[in-house]
């Protein structure tokens, strides 16, 4: 089987889907690996190292998409301005695509439909379930760890005051207050990082177990008022709330949010659009100079004003909707990501052929389209199918 590793084309995306280390393992396993020249440069993985690992270096992305039977990427297919073609248009029927697709996000609906129409079999990494046997496949957890750490560092750089309490010759400056909404993997890492930087930490999560984990890290937990029976979905994930319950949650969190210097948003519902927890009216009441880092932006964002892929200031609040935060930590995030992807390829390929057991939870939840049909439940719901 031929595996293709194209260079990522999203703005400021420095990651690559495979390191020379994982390419060497794929080659040893019997795969032919094509890598676009310069694909790893921004993450400090060089062409000569890929060559030594056994990869065949390719000059043009079209050649990779044409020849490869399986494409491994980091981000969803996009329009490649350099060659004047969308990456989906370079793909072909029967090809396999494994990457982060976020198929439920409205901005990706047209692209996902085009993948299905092309006859591509696509697997989205954000659909891998967090179950014991899938831990080493779970790129979302790996990237969430990176996003939680780097997101707080980015916010600290934008906020206009110190994070730790400071005692100076002219008086004391109080520590900044940081609130994390959605205490999953990214949220826990954000809390730990903010605490290490000296901030006073707060947390909110509709799941009681997640709130307890936040409390164990020293955060003050803000009650969302959401009943546990409504909060928890299959596998311990957050559930999609009825509109009236979500509105009550907003009201319960408003006072705390408006005291914060930094609000880190990472509340997600697997395979579905992220809940809007912070409205424009809530932003208007926030402290001048405060910062919202919304890492749920790939699935629509937790703040109504978060700009997808950009950083803006509205109502004196900095809104950070950077879509590829792990890409700003490219060497570490690529190393983690590429090992997850290698393990997933090994999981899917048996005797040189991809085997997709639709009854397997890993496949059922991550498969986006197959045989020309869009099958991803979250995407179908979001599209009204």
């Amino acid at each position: 089987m031929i595996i293709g590793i194209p260079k990522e084309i999203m703005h400021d995306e420095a990651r690559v889907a495979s390191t020379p280390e994982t390419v060497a393992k794929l080659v040893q396993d019997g795969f032919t690996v094509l890598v676009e020249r310069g694909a790893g440069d921004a993450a400090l993985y060089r062409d000569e190292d890929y060559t030594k690992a056994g990869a065949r270096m390719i000059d043009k992305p079209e050649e990779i998409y044409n020849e490869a039977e399986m494409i491994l990427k980091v981000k969803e297919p996009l329009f490649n301005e350099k060659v004047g073609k969308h990456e989906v248009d370079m793909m072909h029927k029967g090809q396999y695509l494994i990457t982060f697709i976020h198929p439920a996000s409205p901005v990706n609906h047209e692209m996902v439909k085009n993948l299905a129409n092309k006859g591509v079999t696509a697997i989205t990494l954000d659909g891998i379930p967090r179950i014991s046997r899938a831990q080493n496949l779970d790129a979302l957890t790996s990237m969430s760890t990176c996003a939680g750490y780097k997101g707080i560092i980015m916010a600290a750089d934008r906020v206009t005051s110190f994070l730790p309490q400071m005692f100076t010759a002219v008086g004391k400056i109080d520590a900044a207050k940081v609130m994390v909404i959605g205490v999953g993997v990214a949220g826990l890492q954000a809390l730990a990082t903010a605490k290490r930087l000296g901030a006073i930490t707060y947390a909110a999560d509709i799941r009681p177990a997640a709130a307890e984990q936040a409390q164990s890290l020293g955060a003050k937990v803000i009650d969302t008022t959401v009943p546990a029976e409504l909060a928890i979905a299959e596998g311990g994930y957050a559930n999609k709330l009825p509109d009236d319950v979500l509105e009550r949650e907003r009201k319960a969190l408003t006072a705390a949010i408006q005291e914060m210097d930094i609000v880190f948003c990472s509340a997600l519902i697997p395979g579905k659009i992220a809940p809007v927890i912070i409205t424009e009216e809530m932003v208007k009441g926030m402290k001048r100079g405060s910062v919202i880092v919304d890492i749920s932006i790939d699935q629509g964002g937790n703040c109504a004003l978060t700009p997808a892929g950009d950083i803006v200031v509205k109502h004196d609040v900095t809104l950070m909707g950077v879509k590829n935060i792990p890409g700003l930590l490219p060497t570490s995030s690529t190393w983690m990501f590429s090992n997850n992807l290698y393990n997933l390829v090994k999981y899917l390929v048996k005797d040189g052929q991809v085997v997709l057991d639709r009854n397997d939870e890993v496949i059922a939840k991550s498969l986006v389209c197959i045989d020309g049909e869009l099958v991803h439940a979250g995407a179908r719901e979001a599209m009204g199918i």
Side-chain angles (χ1 to χ4, degrees):
M1 176 173 283
I2 301 172
I3 292 178
I5 314 289
K7 185 175 182 177
E8 296 297 319
I9 58 174
M10 178 177 276
H11 180 63
D12 285 340
E13 179 55 76
R15 290 172 293 175
V16 61
S18 191
T19 64
E21 176 188 353
T22 51
V23 164
K25 290 194 284 187
L26 287 167
V27 171
Q28 188 174 9
D29 291 340
F31 295 95
T32 297
V33 183
L34 313 179
V35 178
E36 185 177 348
R37 291 192 189 279
D41 282 354
L44 305 181
Y45 298 107
R46 303 302 187 200
D47 287 354
E48 56 266 29
D49 296 320
Y50 285 107
T51 301
K52 289 176 185 175
R56 179 150 59 92
M57 305 308 295
I58 304 296
D59 291 317
K60 296 180 179 179
E62 299 101 314
E63 295 178 35
I64 289 181
Y65 284 100
N66 183 59
E67 191 173 344
E69 297 161 81
M70 177 183 286
I71 297 291
L72 304 182
K73 277 178 51 59
V74 178
K75 299 301 291 185
E76 68 270 21
L78 299 165
F79 185 81
N80 190 322
E81 295 180 359
K82 186 176 179 180
V83 300
K85 292 180 183 177
H86 198 285
E87 288 177 311
V88 173
D89 294 332
M90 291 187 269
M91 302 186 74
H92 56 261
K93 184 178 180 179
Q95 197 167 44
Y96 295 92
L97 170 68
I98 304 176
T99 186
F100 280 115
I101 298 175
H102 303 290
S105 181
V107 72
N108 291 328
H109 288 178
E110 191 66 28
M111 176 268 293
V112 168
K113 290 176 184 176
N114 290 340
L115 278 173
N117 291 336
K118 271 276 185 178
V120 173
T121 298
I123 291 173
T124 185
L125 296 170
D126 53 293
I128 300 293
R130 283 180 178 158
I131 55 178
S132 296
R133 64 187 175 87
Q135 284 183 340
N136 69 348
L137 318 175
D138 189 358
L140 184 59
T141 288
S142 295
M143 297 304 97
S144 294
T145 298
C146 298
Y149 167 80
K150 188 65 173 180
I152 289 296
I153 299 298
M154 291 163 55
D157 192 46
R158 289 276 177 168
V159 79
T160 57
S161 56
F162 290 113
L163 259 65
Q165 186 178 59
M166 300 290 286
F167 293 92
T168 78
V170 291
K172 176 173 72 74
I173 301 174
D174 291 332
K177 294 179 179 179
V178 175
M179 183 175 185
V180 171
I181 300 174
V183 192
V185 174
L188 288 171
Q189 185 60 235
L191 282 174
T193 302
K195 193 165 185 66
R196 284 194 293 265
L197 292 172
I200 300 170
T201 54
Y202 299 77
D205 197 297
I206 61 175
R207 300 164 297 167
E212 286 178 18
Q213 287 180 306
Q215 197 167 27
S216 73
L217 289 177
K220 179 180 178 181
V221 175
I222 307 299
D223 184 9
T224 64
T225 73
V226 177
E229 61 269 21
L230 291 179
I232 306 168
E234 180 186 355
Y237 293 103
N239 207 359
K240 183 178 181 180
L241 299 176
D243 290 343
D244 61 324
V245 177
L246 181 58
E247 181 58 31
R248 289 204 304 270
E249 181 187 3
R250 293 187 189 114
K251 289 179 180 177
L253 298 180
T254 295
I257 287 171
Q258 293 179 346
E259 289 182 8
M260 296 300 128
D261 297 284
I262 294 172
V263 179
F264 181 95
C265 298
S266 58
L268 293 172
I269 302 166
K272 298 183 181 180
I273 297 170
V276 175
I277 296 170
I278 303 176
T279 64
E280 181 169 8
E281 284 303 309
M282 293 164 73
V283 173
K284 287 179 179 178
M286 291 179 68
K287 292 170 64 174
R288 289 194 298 270
S290 57
V291 177
I292 293 175
V293 181
D294 195 346
I295 73 161
S296 66
I297 192 63
D298 276 324
Q299 288 176 230
N302 292 147
C303 175
L305 297 184
T306 305
D310 204 358
I311 301 171
V312 301
V313 177
K314 291 185 178 179
H315 310 302
D316 293 322
V317 175
T318 299
L319 298 148
M320 305 184 76
V322 177
K323 294 189 71 174
N324 56 340
I325 293 176
L328 303 177
L329 198 69
T331 303
S332 293
S333 59
T334 288
W335 184 85
M336 297 173 76
F337 181 90
S338 62
N339 278 288
N340 291 135
L341 221 52
Y342 170 74
N343 292 329
L344 182 56
V345 170
K346 290 279 285 182
Y347 185 86
L348 298 175
V349 178
K350 313 296 181 189
D351 299 322
Q353 298 294 321
V354 176
V355 178
L356 298 178
D357 178 1
R358 300 281 292 273
N359 295 316
D360 181 344
E361 185 180 0
V362 173
I363 307 302
K365 292 189 174 179
S366 61
L367 190 62
V368 176
C369 51
I370 186 170
D371 297 330
E373 182 185 2
L374 175 62
V375 298
H376 189 274
R380 291 176 66 87
E381 179 185 332
M383 294 180 193
I385 299 175

